[in-house]
Amino acid sequence: MAVCRSLTGVGEHLHRVFHKGAFAAVAPFCRNSTQTRSAFSASREVVPEVDVLIVGTGIVGLATAQELIQRFPKLSFGVVDKEGHIAAHQSGHNSGVIHAGIYYTPGSLKAKLCVEGLRMSYKYCDEHKIPYKKVGKLIVATSPEEVSRLDNLYERGIKNDVPDLKIVGPEEIKEIEPNCVGLKALHSPHTGIVDWGYVTTMYGKRFESLGGSIRLGFEVTNFLESSDNPNYPVTVVGNNAYVCGKEERIRAKYVITCGGLYSDKLAQKSGCNPLPKIVPFRGDYLLLKPEKTNLVRGNIYPVPDPRFPFLGVHFTPRMNGDVWLGPNAVLAFKREGYKLHHFSPLEFLDAISFKGLRKLILGNVSYAFGELYRGINISAQVKILQRFVPSLEVSDVLRGPAGVRAQALDESGKLVDDFIFDSGVGSIGSRMLHVRNAPSPAATSSLAIAKMVADKAKEHFKL
């Protein structure tokens, strides 16, 4: 059954965000948009055709679409998404940090893509007049044990070619962040902040300006082989998100999926293995009250603890002047569950029945309960943050927004940090490319990831 959503205010929202109707709730797949709109209105049986269809208007999907249309301008490209606006989930619900590449294993793909992505992101923002701020980042050690780990982290950063990374002592910490305390810290001056949702919008606008089309409100339900049209052998079946029970189809030569929180489910539709499985983890943030935002100037992060699967809470300024504190990391009760009461019985059962998740929880029981407790108890969360900014008080904060992370897990309960591509089985598999896992920091790395996906598509599809 189709998921029905109200159209009230959608058109106004799209006009406001995307400027002069640059995106439409239903956009055709054709270079001549006026002609195709007439075709859509004249006959409900017209099935749009496109050379390459990308599923997902998150930052990886639209970065990929932009890269492909620039490389192959003679092909026709379309992008679909089930939501009524782009960057509806992870790309629009994140801390907005431009990462420098400090944490990742030297020589790894994550490290290379992040460092490359940092440079590409700043260049793109400059070229397209997207506002950003290089507020910098401190990774602060507050105990002797953390100091040794910090030194190791510095060596990683240097091997990864992180620009201008240096170690600073207590006095320099105070010069950079007057309200912050620590024994030692790493200072990354080129770490920045940006509105990644807006960046994703700009990727989409650039894609459309080059002749691509974006169709929103199209929820993919299946991929079928087309026997009646050998030129466009893949039929993408979807529900119209705005008309209950209305099924629609798009024909394509090739399909690339960048489904984020549903990447594993999309991959299974062309016969892929269900592993790795996507498990949703919600991160709840606190907000500094407006009169307290001067407590911090830039990003303040903890030294990662290798015993635990996630990074830990931090201070992050935002482009709009807010300061976010957090997040914690708890299992979400549905894949797009941004609130504690957001619950899907089927998706929750699907998650907890996966033995990989059960092993992850059993191996981190105290950590899991601690994260849950701090999500409920603001004082407990503030107590951890006071290690870095002792002057922070519970009365200085409010409950803030939340994001949901698409965490890939294997059956052993290990977090999957590698990039994973898949295709499927049979002849349809040769025409499918699934981006099953694009791990954090995917936003920072998005333009570099897009180059890699485009290379994969060229090889796989023989473009």
Side-chain angles (χ1 to χ4, degrees):
M1 183 178 292
V3 177
C4 300
R5 300 179 178 90
S6 170
L7 276 174
T8 304
V10 170
E12 179 184 352
H13 173 75
L14 292 172
H15 178 85
R16 182 174 66 252
V17 175
F18 302 133
H19 311 291
K20 299 182 180 179
F23 295 78
V26 178
F29 296 109
C30 184
R31 301 288 186 187
N32 187 333
S33 59
T34 303
Q35 178 184 353
T36 310
R37 282 194 180 93
S38 299
F40 267 102
S41 60
S43 172
R44 289 173 180 251
E45 297 181 0
V46 172
V47 178
E49 295 173 343
V50 62
D51 291 328
V52 182
L53 183 70
I54 296 102
V55 180
T57 63
I59 198 164
V60 172
L62 284 175
T64 297
Q66 176 184 237
E67 177 69 21
L68 284 168
I69 203 169
Q70 290 174 156
R71 287 198 197 186
F72 306 102
K74 293 183 179 180
L75 299 180
S76 60
F77 291 88
V79 183
V80 297
D81 198 290
K82 66 185 175 65
E83 302 297 346
H85 61 96
I86 71 170
H89 294 293
Q90 293 182 104
S91 302
H93 293 79
N94 57 72
S95 58
V97 176
I98 305 173
H99 291 281
I102 300 168
Y103 301 103
Y104 317 117
T105 303
S108 67
L109 193 55
K110 278 183 72 170
K112 292 177 180 178
L113 291 175
C114 184
V115 173
E116 182 184 4
L118 174 86
R119 300 189 187 103
M120 293 179 73
S121 293
Y122 282 133
K123 181 180 178 183
Y124 190 94
C125 288
D126 287 335
E127 289 174 349
H128 296 274
K129 296 179 172 56
I130 298 172
Y132 64 85
K133 297 177 183 177
K134 285 191 178 181
V135 296
K137 175 197 234 176
L138 283 177
I139 302 176
V140 183
T142 59
S143 70
E145 180 187 6
E146 289 180 344
V147 168
S148 63
R149 295 205 303 267
L150 190 77
D151 292 335
N152 293 332
L153 205 57
Y154 174 72
E155 294 300 323
R156 277 195 173 195
I158 295 301
K159 290 179 181 177
N160 289 339
D161 294 323
V162 174
D164 300 324
L165 184 67
K166 67 176 182 178
I167 295 177
V168 297
E171 292 184 1
E172 287 179 281
I173 291 174
K174 284 287 186 183
E175 290 175 7
I176 298 165
E177 288 286 354
N179 295 302
C180 182
V181 299
L183 300 178
K184 205 174 188 180
L186 286 187
H187 182 224
S188 169
H190 296 285
T191 297
I193 57 171
V194 73
D195 183 341
W196 286 118
Y198 181 66
V199 172
T200 308
T201 299
M202 296 304 290
Y203 289 173
K205 289 185 71 174
R206 172 70 175 159
F207 171 70
E208 283 204 329
S209 74
L210 295 172
S213 293
I214 296 173
R215 181 168 182 169
L216 302 174
F218 185 96
E219 185 172 10
V220 173
T221 58
N222 208 355
F223 302 111
L224 304 174
E225 291 189 73
S226 306
S227 58
D228 58 337
N229 192 335
N231 292 323
Y232 296 92
V234 181
T235 296
V236 181
V237 184
N239 289 327
N240 186 315
Y242 306 120
V243 182
C244 284
K246 180 175 174 57
E247 183 179 271
E248 297 181 339
R249 297 184 176 218
I250 299 168
R251 292 193 182 107
K253 290 181 181 178
Y254 308 104
V255 176
I256 300 171
T257 69
C258 303
L261 285 156
Y262 287 94
S263 60
D264 57 339
K265 299 298 184 183
L266 285 169
Q268 288 176 65
K269 294 181 189 301
S270 68
C272 294
N273 192 302
L275 297 175
K277 189 175 186 63
I278 296 298
V279 176
F281 283 90
R282 190 183 73 253
D284 300 305
Y285 287 90
L286 301 176
L287 279 174
L288 278 180
K289 290 180 178 179
E291 63 272 20
K292 292 293 183 176
T293 55
N294 60 357
L295 277 175
V296 299
R297 295 174 175 174
N299 295 286
I300 302 175
Y301 273 61
V303 178
D305 189 331
R307 296 175 299 169
F308 303 132
F310 297 112
L311 181 60
V313 296
H314 44 270
F315 296 76
T316 302
R318 303 276 295 175
M319 288 298 296
N320 65 355
D322 289 344
V323 176
W324 288 13
L325 316 175
N328 63 339
V330 296
L331 178 67
F333 299 146
K334 63 180 296 188
R335 293 202 180 202
E336 294 166 357
Y338 297 97
K339 301 289 185 182
L340 184 61
H341 62 272
H342 289 177
F343 180 73
S344 166
L346 288 177
E347 291 186 349
F348 180 66
L349 181 62
D350 181 52
I352 62 172
S353 62
F354 177 50
K355 66 179 181 181
L357 175 62
R358 296 198 301 272
K359 287 183 178 181
L360 176 68
I361 294 173
L362 289 173
N364 298 275
V365 172
S366 61
Y367 177 84
F369 277 104
E371 290 292 287
L372 184 61
Y373 176 69
R374 286 187 289 273
I376 298 169
N377 189 313
I378 292 179
S379 297
Q381 189 83 303
V382 169
K383 185 176 180 179
I384 292 180
L385 293 162
Q386 286 172 334
R387 291 172 50 207
F388 310 100
V389 180
S391 58
L392 179 70
E393 301 288 346
V394 174
S395 59
D396 296 334
V397 303
L398 303 167
R399 288 202 178 274
V404 179
R405 174 177 179 169
Q407 180 60 59
L409 285 180
D410 64 18
E411 280 189 306
S412 69
K414 292 181 180 178
L415 309 186
V416 178
D417 280 334
D418 296 329
F419 289 85
I420 295 179
F421 298 91
D422 210 340
S423 53
V425 298
S427 57
I428 197 172
S430 66
R431 294 182 176 272
M432 307 288 300
L433 180 61
H434 301 288
V435 182
R436 296 198 56 167
N437 192 43
S440 179
T444 300
S445 306
S446 58
L447 292 171
I449 292 171
K451 287 173 60 179
M452 181 176 65
V453 177
D455 290 342
K456 290 275 187 184
K458 181 181 179 181
E459 177 186 359
H460 188 59
F461 300 147
K462 298 178 173 58
L463 296 179

